[in-house]
Amino acid sequence: MKLYVGTYAKYNNGSIAGRWMDVEDYADADDFYAACRELHSDEHDPEFMFQDYEGFPSEFYCECDARPVFEYKEALNHSGMDKAAFDAGIACGLNLDQIEDCYCGEYNSPEDFAETLCEDCGDLANVPDMLRDCIDWSLLWQKYLRFDYTYHEGYVFRDN
């Protein structure tokens, strides 16, 4: 997770002088801002401009404030989840504090999730194999499960 840090004064004077800074190198936003002040110590009271970003969802990018990135970083680290799964939760529209609770797992397809859900619930225990092979998992997903779950890039989340 990185931010390109310049200042509005430099930008307004035709310069994008600054540097890419790795958010992971800083314990919190206060440490990060201290490093930004050191980077732009040639200005008396620098007004930071975060001109570009990489490695985190766009929902947490703000040209004039790095704190949302640190909120994202803290929530990700606290969750213990894989970053790709966590980011999928964000893409599904979940709030940072909902992602971990709503996470159902990683699946090859929505149909794979539908079958696994039925197996885990015990609903298939008494179904003969010849009938089980006739179940349309795609139809089950489309007709029922997609209203309570969201599938995004291999990850499933229970809708909140």
Side-chain angles (χ1 to χ4, degrees):
M1 294 183 276
K2 296 181 179 183
L3 286 167
Y4 188 86
V5 184
T7 67
Y8 283 98
K10 286 181 177 79
Y11 181 80
N12 289 336
N13 287 314
S15 171
I16 59 168
R19 185 176 88 207
W20 280 104
M21 296 178 71
D22 191 334
V23 171
E24 296 295 325
D25 292 342
Y26 304 94
D28 56 28
D30 291 336
D31 287 347
F32 180 77
Y33 276 107
C36 292
R37 282 189 292 282
E38 185 177 320
L39 173 65
H40 293 289
S41 61
D42 58 331
E43 294 183 31
H44 171 66
D45 187 19
E47 185 179 3
F48 303 117
M49 180 181 192
F50 305 106
Q51 297 165 318
D52 203 356
Y53 71 99
E54 63 181 39
F56 60 88
S58 62
E59 291 87 341
F60 300 94
Y61 168 70
C62 179
E63 182 181 279
C64 59
D65 188 5
R67 293 188 192 287
V69 180
F70 283 89
E71 291 171 15
Y72 164 80
K73 175 188 162 190
E74 183 179 331
L76 172 62
N77 291 340
H78 183 264
S79 76
M81 291 178 64
D82 175 73
K83 185 177 181 312
F86 195 81
D87 288 354
I90 291 167
C92 290
L94 296 170
N95 294 328
L96 291 174
D97 61 344
Q98 298 173 316
I99 295 171
E100 188 176 3
D101 290 338
C102 294
Y103 181 62
C104 296
E106 185 174 5
Y107 298 89
N108 293 326
S109 65
E111 297 80 11
D112 183 35
F113 169 72
E115 184 175 4
T116 301
L117 180 65
C118 289
E119 286 173 355
D120 291 349
C121 292
D123 293 343
L124 298 178
N126 298 320
V127 177
D129 287 342
M130 67 180 203
L131 292 179
R132 186 175 174 175
D133 291 341
C134 296
I135 297 172
D136 185 343
W137 299 111
S138 178
L139 182 61
L140 178 62
W141 171 263
Q142 286 298 323
K143 199 163 183 177
Y144 299 104
L145 296 178
R146 72 183 179 100
F147 298 107
D148 296 319
Y149 298 91
T150 302
Y151 181 86
H152 183 77
E153 295 182 359
Y155 302 98
V156 175
F157 294 87
R158 177 180 38 78
D159 292 343
N160 199 16

